[in-house]
């Protein structure tokens, strides 16, 4: 039986959180504990969680601060006192299939405990009533490199399970900027050249509803392009993410990743620098719309 600590950040999740927590504690072949940081909810989220504490091993920290999901998740991970074999992130509104953690831990157990290791999976995207809309295909991205992650490609954090070694690496990091906790987790793993296992079999139902902090769609709609473009335009957030990686991990990056990040960090130096980056084959997400927006944002200096 595997020992797993699940890390969750909650915020006004009263609608679906009980169903999610029940699915977390219904995992096969796993001894699960849940560590929650509440991001200053104003609804009945904490009331529901407190009720479930009588039934399950749940620990809650609340400091009456709203940090946003990225910082809240990282804070929860750092403050979690549990020392277990494995850790997993969980959103508050999904439903996990009963073999989710067992599948992840089985794969992670094949790697050395002395090496940072991360498991990610795909999921079924569902509506509020858990009717399946489609299944995300992670194979379309090919091998997920640091360059792709910096471009914005990452499996979702709610599918991530990782070992104690990676947790320790994340704990030591001090990112000045972090797009989301899942991006930082993956970038930390890649900086240390750790083990990444991608499972293209769905292990959970990823619920889409009106209050999602982050959603996912496979439709090529104008609003999708607009959201992706605005996320690139938003104060050079991807460039700031790369700067945080460099500041934290420049001493341990391999030569390939050093060259790639430095090329990205210096792309505004000249028009030649921009074109060198645009035609760098390592910056290829395998997704045409992401590649196009990457090239356009580099030329415009807004990446």
């Amino acid at each position: 039986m595997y020992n797993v600590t699940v890390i969750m950040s909650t915020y006004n999740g009263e609608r679906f959180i009980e169903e999610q927590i029940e699915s977390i504690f219904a995992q096969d072949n796993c001894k699960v504990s849940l560590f929650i940081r509440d991001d200053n909810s104003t609804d009945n989220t904490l009331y529901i969680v407190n009720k479930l504490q009588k039934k399950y091993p749940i620990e809650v920290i609340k400091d009456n601060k709203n940090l946003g999901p990225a910082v809240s998740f990282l804070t929860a991970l750092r403050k979690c006192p549990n020392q277990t074999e494995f850790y997993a992130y969980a959103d508050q509104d999904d439903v996990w299939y009963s073999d989710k953690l067992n599948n992840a831990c089985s794969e992670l157990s094949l790697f050395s405990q002395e090496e940072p290791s991360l498991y990610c999976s795909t999921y079924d995207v569902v509506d509020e009533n858990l009717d399946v809309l489609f299944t995300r295909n992670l194979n379309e991205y090919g091998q997920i490199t640091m360059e792709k992650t910096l471009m914005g490609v990452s499996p979702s954090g709610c599918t991530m399970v990782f070992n104690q070694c990676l947790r320790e690496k994340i704990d030591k990091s001090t990112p000045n900027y972090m797009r989301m906790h899942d991006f930082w987790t993956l970038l930390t793993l890649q900086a240390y050249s750790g083990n990444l296992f991608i499972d293209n079999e769905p292990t959970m139902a990823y619920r889409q509803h009106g209050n999602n902090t982050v959603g996912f769609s496979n439709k090529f709609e104008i609003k999708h392009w607009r959201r992706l473009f605005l996320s690139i335009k938003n104060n050079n957030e991807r460039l700031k993410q790369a700067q945080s990686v460099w500041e934290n991990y420049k001493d341990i990056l391999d030569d390939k990743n050093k060259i790639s990040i430095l090329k990205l960090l210096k792309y505004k130096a000249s028009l030649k620098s921009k074109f060198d980056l645009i035609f760098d084959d390592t910056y290829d997400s395998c997704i045409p719309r992401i590649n196009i927006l990457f090239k356009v944002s580099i030329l415009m200096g807004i990446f």
Side-chain angles (χ1 to χ4, degrees):
M1 181 171 289
Y2 301 110
N3 291 306
V4 186
T5 297
V6 177
I7 305 295
M8 181 186 288
S9 172
T10 56
Y11 179 71
N12 290 353
E14 64 180 3
R15 290 182 65 194
F16 305 114
I17 192 167
E18 184 166 0
E19 188 176 17
Q20 166 67 317
I21 290 177
E22 291 287 353
S23 76
I24 288 172
F25 284 102
Q27 293 296 296
D28 300 333
N29 194 39
C30 289
K31 181 180 178 182
V32 177
S33 57
L34 177 59
F35 189 80
I36 295 174
R37 180 192 177 275
D38 185 70
D39 206 25
N40 203 24
S41 293
T42 57
D43 66 355
N44 290 319
T45 295
L46 286 176
Y47 172 81
I48 296 169
V49 170
N50 291 337
K51 179 184 68 173
L52 292 171
Q53 278 184 300
K54 300 174 183 178
K55 189 177 178 182
Y56 300 118
I58 302 172
E59 184 173 350
V60 182
I61 57 170
K62 45 184 185 290
D63 52 21
N64 300 317
K65 295 179 182 177
N66 184 275
L67 303 177
V71 177
S72 184
F73 265 101
L74 190 63
T75 301
L77 182 64
R78 286 177 167 163
K79 289 189 174 183
C80 177
N82 297 3
Q83 298 290 319
T84 51
E85 294 176 276
F86 304 110
Y87 300 82
Y89 294 131
D91 288 348
Q92 65 186 6
D93 44 14
D94 302 324
V95 172
W96 287 8
Y97 302 153
S98 62
D99 58 355
K100 179 182 189 294
L101 291 181
N102 183 64
N103 290 347
C105 295
S106 297
E107 296 295 344
L108 290 172
S109 296
L110 300 177
F111 301 117
S112 168
Q113 295 180 3
E114 306 303 315
E115 301 172 353
S117 300
L118 173 65
Y119 167 98
C120 306
S121 77
T122 189
Y123 44 70
D124 293 321
V125 179
V126 301
D127 62 18
E128 294 188 9
N129 300 314
L130 300 181
D131 293 322
V132 177
L133 303 174
F134 65 93
T135 300
R136 186 180 182 186
N137 178 19
L138 292 178
N139 285 341
E140 66 180 343
Y141 299 106
Q143 181 183 2
I144 299 182
T145 62
M146 179 173 280
E147 291 88 355
K148 289 181 182 179
T149 307
L150 291 170
M151 292 175 72
V153 173
S154 174
S156 297
C158 54
T159 73
M160 290 182 172
V161 184
F162 48 97
N163 65 359
Q164 174 69 27
C165 183
L166 181 55
R167 186 241 170 115
E168 292 172 356
K169 305 299 185 188
I170 298 169
D171 280 348
K172 293 176 182 177
S173 67
T174 55
N176 289 325
Y177 181 80
M178 179 174 54
R179 290 188 62 213
M180 282 295 287
H181 60 287
D182 47 5
F183 278 96
W184 190 250
T185 297
L186 181 56
L187 287 165
T188 299
L189 179 89
Q190 292 165 334
Y192 281 92
S193 300
N195 305 301
L196 176 61
F197 184 89
I198 302 293
D199 188 350
N200 205 42
E201 291 297 318
T203 61
M204 54 171 282
Y206 184 85
R207 198 189 313 249
Q208 297 284 277
H209 58 88
N211 296 325
N212 279 44
T213 300
V214 178
F216 182 83
S217 172
N218 68 342
K219 295 180 180 179
F220 296 89
E221 298 175 342
I222 292 176
K223 64 180 181 181
H224 175 77
W225 282 79
R226 181 176 179 273
R227 186 180 71 177
L228 190 57
F229 183 76
L230 288 176
S231 71
I232 292 174
K233 188 178 179 181
N234 184 21
N235 298 319
N236 294 115
E237 64 173 16
R238 286 166 170 78
L239 183 61
K240 289 192 290 186
Q241 181 72 96
Q243 288 169 337
S244 286
V245 172
W246 181 253
E247 291 162 1
N248 278 266
Y249 301 129
K250 60 185 175 183
D251 294 332
I252 56 98
L253 289 170
D254 62 26
D255 290 341
K256 174 182 174 295
N257 284 331
K258 280 185 179 179
I259 292 170
S260 291
I261 289 185
L262 285 174
K263 183 177 286 190
L264 178 58
L265 292 179
K266 298 177 179 179
Y267 86 89
K268 292 186 180 183
S270 65
L271 187 60
K272 181 180 182 301
S273 299
K274 291 181 178 180
F275 277 102
D276 284 345
L277 184 56
I278 285 172
F279 292 106
D280 187 336
D281 291 339
T282 61
Y283 280 95
D284 179 5
S285 71
C286 297
I287 306 298
R289 67 179 183 275
I290 296 177
N291 288 344
I292 292 170
L293 284 169
F294 172 74
K295 296 177 188 299
V296 170
S297 65
I298 292 298
L299 281 175
M300 295 178 65
I302 59 174
F303 184 84

